[in-house]
Amino acid sequence: GAVVSQHPSRVICKSGTSVKIECRSLDFQATTMFWYRQFPKQSLMLMATSNEGSKATYEQGVEKDKFLINHASLTLSTLTVTSAHPEDSSFYICSARDGAGYDEKLFFGSGTQLSVL
Amino acid sequence: QKEVEQNSGPLSVPEGAIASLNCTYSDRGSQSFFWYRQYSGKSPELIMFIYSNGDKEDGRFTAQLNKASQYVSLLIRDSQPSDSATYLCAVNSLDYKLSFGAGTTVTVRA
């Protein structure tokens, strides 16, 4: 399947700092990428849809000023958690879709475990 | 609201047995259905997808879809300890925002 690379895999930071997470599609172009958050023993929660060359679309309840998304190219989307606080500690996962029509599938990056002290 | 329901488990099966996982969904407009496997601390890995009614087999995995009943299942034959993981059912509608179930935890006993 398609390869989606996500960095860093783990971040530990102090409260109030900003953290940037990168998501790259390595062997395909992704006009749309998705950012998810997952708390322990819970399912994936879609945070936002990242669209290349335009503004991201955020899900209800997700603060766009706190979770900045930039999709500057067809292979790179970034999520910046601004002024992180302990409640932002979570597993963040990006994904990108490859294929078209019924052959379209979603592939995930390896995830970033964010721990805010 | 799109909902995807799964039994949370844990589902415990002996090695070599068949593990059967079930998933129901509420959106009748759903087009594609996916099963992801997620190991603890790792991101989900796509293992099966299906969009036509009936069965689809891939190795030890069989996905079954019944759109009339809004039901999709995953069978794991000859279960191995390495199959121990959480299995996420995901349903895609026309806007391609996947809706995920909470996942079923499977434990294969050696």
Side-chain angles (χ1 to χ4, degrees), chain B residues 27-93:
Chain B
D27 183 5
R28 283 196 173 275
S30 300
Q31 301 287 313
S32 318
F33 307 85
F34 304 84
W35 284 99
Y36 287 85
R37 177 176 62 198
Q38 186 175 25
Y39 293 112
S40 180
K42 303 295 184 182
S43 67
E45 172 192 10
L46 180 64
I47 55 172
M48 287 290 287
F49 62 94
I50 186 169
Y51 24 75
S52 300
N53 278 325
D55 295 359
K56 179 181 179 181
E57 186 175 316
D58 183 1
R60 295 185 296 110
F61 299 101
T62 298
Q64 299 173 315
L65 174 62
N66 184 324
K67 289 186 179 180
S69 300
Q70 295 175 238
Y71 172 93
V72 58
S73 66
L74 178 70
L75 300 177
I76 307 174
R77 291 183 301 281
D78 188 23
S79 295
Q80 302 296 308
S82 59
D83 295 326
S84 298
T86 297
Y87 291 80
L88 302 172
C89 172
V91 175
N92 170 35
S93 55

Side-chain angles (χ1 to χ4, degrees), chain A residues 54-75:
Chain A
S54 64
K55 291 183 179 179
T57 304
Y58 291 82
E59 295 300 301
Q60 190 173 6
V62 178
E63 300 174 57
K64 63 180 181 181
D65 294 332
K66 180 168 187 64
F67 298 100
L68 300 179
I69 291 173
N70 184 282
H71 195 152
S73 77
L74 287 172
T75 59

